[in-house]
Amino acid sequence: MKIMNSSKSIYIALIQIAFGLLFGLMLFPSNVKSIVIIVTSIFVLINFFSSKNTFDKNYFLSNTFYFFVLLFTLLFSNNLDVAFLKIQTMLSLIVFPLIFSLLNNEAKKRLIKFKINYFWIYIISVVVYNTIPFLWFYSGIPNYSFLGMSYHLKNFIMNNIGKYGIHPIYMSMHCCIAVIFSIKVFLFIKKKYKKILLLILNLIIFFFLLIYARKGPIIALIITLIFFSYLEYRKYFKYNLILIFGLITLFSLIPTTRNRFLELSKMSTTTVDGSSSSNIRYTIYNNSIELIKNAPFLGYGIGDYQEELNKSYQKNAPILLEKKYNSHNQYLGFLLIGGVLLLVSFLSFYGKKIILAYKTNNTLLISILIFYGVTMLFENILERENGVIFFALFINFFSLKKAK
């Protein structure tokens, strides 16, 4: 009996270590990320069979139904090669619910107990990932102005660091989520030196947020902080609003972020090169909506919707074909892929998560749901590796019982 209990403890310890690696996943190159997820799955499976746990099929089905609806669109997708590549990228949406459906209560309790450590891992990973390329880039080209650095660093981390490359909008998302985690950590820790360290790390994070100057994540962060303050610290809500207003003022005073937001006042369709990102998105949305009108109920299928978008760009805005833009809005993307059927199934999943989180006072889950919910208005985060993996990990992790 002691040997069996010892084995179970080892398996659970391995799961804890694996989850630490998952929270630090951005420090791994893209080809290693899947290996870390596979190793975690193996540890969870071993623990599942050794503990004779019951598979939580209700949790699994409620969290993956929309993914099966997405798979249904394979039936009317002509380009199956593209379809399967898309499905492969989005597999985290079914893999992580499966992992969490296999966890026993003891493993869940251990993971919840270590959540602050996981937050630290994630926050430090965000800082390290940003700082190393910055210092590397800066040491190589020391004569750039700050504006020059901010412009070229974004291209550098996207195009010049190989399998570590990441689009600035996803790096901005990581920075914003690290800020959300930091609030929880700051209120949990007691030692002064840890609080000082956390503040320093967040100053570094805000520095990079200003460099990337991505509107979507910044808007999502501000909205999330407002809701988080109201739900978690209602007594001090008005004081927190002052701090949030100060944050907004900071973003508005820095030229890189201010100019980004000023783009919103000059939105129009574009057919020429050099247009602002807001104009490009506005044009994409118009083309997407026109396509949706022609196939509102079932969409075009996971393999064909991008081709249909490209045809629309060819007709209305050929300049957009150069980068083969997707819909840049996950909700429009789902409508294009699977029509109203897919979007409603996803919104049903999302709405149930929010309701359950609110009933159980799970403010961290609500915050993550709000952040991603707003960000999906600007980006197809579930169709890109750096978006979907962390979305699936965080949504399922913070859905653990008693997780707050």
Side-chain angles (χ1 to χ4, degrees):
M1 182 64 72
K2 288 183 178 180
I3 294 175
M4 289 181 63
N5 289 335
S6 177
S7 298
K8 290 178 183 178
S9 296
I10 292 172
Y11 298 147
I12 292 175
L14 289 173
I15 291 172
Q16 288 176 268
I17 294 170
F19 268 83
L21 295 177
L22 288 176
F23 273 80
L25 207 57
M26 72 184 68
L27 294 181
F28 294 93
S30 57
N31 57 334
V32 178
K33 286 183 173 70
S34 57
I35 296 174
V36 175
I37 296 172
I38 290 170
V39 170
T40 304
S41 302
I42 292 171
F43 290 157
V44 171
L45 276 171
I46 293 173
N47 182 64
F48 174 78
F49 287 115
S50 66
S51 63
K52 297 180 181 180
N53 189 33
T54 303
F55 178 66
D56 192 345
K57 61 180 182 298
N58 291 330
Y59 179 87
F60 177 74
L61 291 174
S62 65
N63 284 272
T64 56
F65 177 74
Y66 69 93
F67 187 80
F68 288 109
V69 174
L70 187 145
L71 290 178
F72 168 74
T73 69
L74 286 169
L75 297 177
F76 50 90
S77 291
N78 294 318
N79 196 335
L80 291 180
D81 289 338
V82 172
F84 285 119
L85 282 174
K86 287 283 187 181
I87 294 295
Q88 181 180 334
T89 301
M90 301 171 77
L91 274 178
S92 295
L93 296 175
I94 195 169
V95 170
F96 279 106
L98 178 61
I99 288 173
F100 283 84
S101 298
L102 293 168
L103 290 173
N104 59 15
N105 289 332
E106 181 60 28
K108 291 178 182 178
K109 289 177 182 177
R110 292 280 192 93
L111 292 177
I112 294 167
K113 183 179 179 180
F114 272 77
K115 66 181 180 182
I116 297 297
N117 296 315
Y118 295 145
F119 294 166
W120 272 112
I121 291 172
Y122 183 80
I123 294 164
I124 293 172
S125 297
V126 170
V127 172
V128 170
Y129 186 96
N130 280 284
T131 304
I132 291 178
F134 177 80
L135 294 176
W136 181 14
F137 182 65
Y138 184 74
S139 62
I141 312 175
N143 296 321
Y144 270 147
S145 65
F146 177 79
L147 289 178
M149 277 290 298
S150 65
Y151 177 79
H152 291 286
L153 179 66
K154 290 178 280 191
N155 293 319
F156 182 76
I157 67 165
M158 187 165 53
N159 301 314
N160 297 99
I161 53 177
K163 294 185 182 299
Y164 285 97
I166 184 172
H167 193 284
I169 196 167
Y170 289 93
M171 199 61 251
S172 295
M173 289 167 56
H174 285 309
C175 289
C176 292
I177 292 172
V179 171
I180 296 169
F181 288 173
S182 295
I183 297 172
K184 272 289 186 182
V185 174
F186 188 85
L187 296 168
F188 178 84
I189 57 178
K190 304 298 182 185
K191 294 183 178 179
K192 189 175 181 179
Y193 78 91
K194 288 185 177 181
K195 289 181 180 288
I196 294 173
L197 173 62
L198 190 61
L199 288 172
I200 293 171
L201 293 176
N202 274 265
L203 286 174
I204 296 172
I205 290 170
F206 273 108
F207 170 74
F208 286 105
L209 261 181
L210 293 174
I211 286 182
Y212 300 134
R214 297 292 153 164
K215 297 186 295 293
I218 290 174
I219 291 171
L221 175 63
I222 290 170
I223 293 173
T224 301
L225 291 178
I226 291 171
F227 276 94
F228 183 83
S229 298
Y230 179 75
L231 293 171
E232 188 80 17
Y233 308 103
R234 199 169 303 180
K235 183 178 178 181
Y236 305 102
F237 182 59
K238 60 182 179 181
Y239 303 108
N240 292 331
L241 278 181
I242 294 173
L243 292 175
I244 294 170
F245 179 76
L247 180 62
I248 296 171
T249 303
L250 173 64
F251 285 127
S252 66
L253 290 175
I254 303 297
T256 51
T257 50
R258 182 179 66 243
N259 293 337
R260 282 276 184 171
F261 283 96
L262 286 176
E263 292 175 3
L264 296 174
S265 64
K266 304 174 183 178
M267 283 198 303
S268 63
T269 55
T270 180
T271 56
V272 296
D273 197 6
S275 297
S276 70
S277 61
S278 297
N279 284 348
I280 290 172
R281 275 183 164 78
Y282 186 70
T283 307
I284 291 171
Y285 297 160
N286 282 339
N287 282 267
S288 299
I289 291 169
E290 288 303 313
L291 283 174
I292 291 165
K293 290 178 181 178
N294 296 327
F297 298 109
L298 293 178
Y300 296 91
I302 183 67
D304 299 350
Y305 83 98
Q306 185 61 52
E307 183 179 349
E308 294 297 323
L309 259 181
N310 291 341
K311 290 178 182 177
S312 181
Y313 297 154
Q314 180 65 56
K315 179 180 178 182
N316 302 312
I319 192 66
L320 298 183
L321 284 173
E322 291 183 7
K323 296 185 178 180
K324 296 181 179 179
Y325 289 101
N326 58 28
S327 63
H328 273 66
N329 179 305
Q330 191 62 70
Y331 307 109
L332 292 179
F334 278 155
L335 283 169
L336 288 166
I337 294 170
V340 173
L341 180 62
L342 177 57
L343 181 62
V344 169
S345 63
F346 177 74
L347 292 178
S348 175
F349 150 78
Y350 218 77
K352 287 178 180 177
K353 283 285 182 187
I354 291 176
I355 292 170
L356 181 61
Y358 182 77
K359 286 182 177 179
T360 56
N361 195 32
N362 193 337
T363 54
L364 199 46
L365 177 56
I366 293 174
S367 299
I368 294 298
L369 287 166
I370 291 172
F371 177 79
Y372 278 124
V374 175
T375 306
M376 283 189 283
L377 291 169
F378 309 100
E379 192 69 22
N380 297 48
I381 66 171
L382 304 186
E383 298 172 42
R384 297 286 292 270
E385 180 186 84
N386 281 304
V388 69
I389 290 176
F390 290 92
F391 172 90
L393 170 63
F394 294 149
I395 296 299
N396 286 280
F397 183 85
F398 297 122
S399 295
L400 289 172
K401 293 179 180 178
K402 298 179 182 178
K404 293 183 180 180

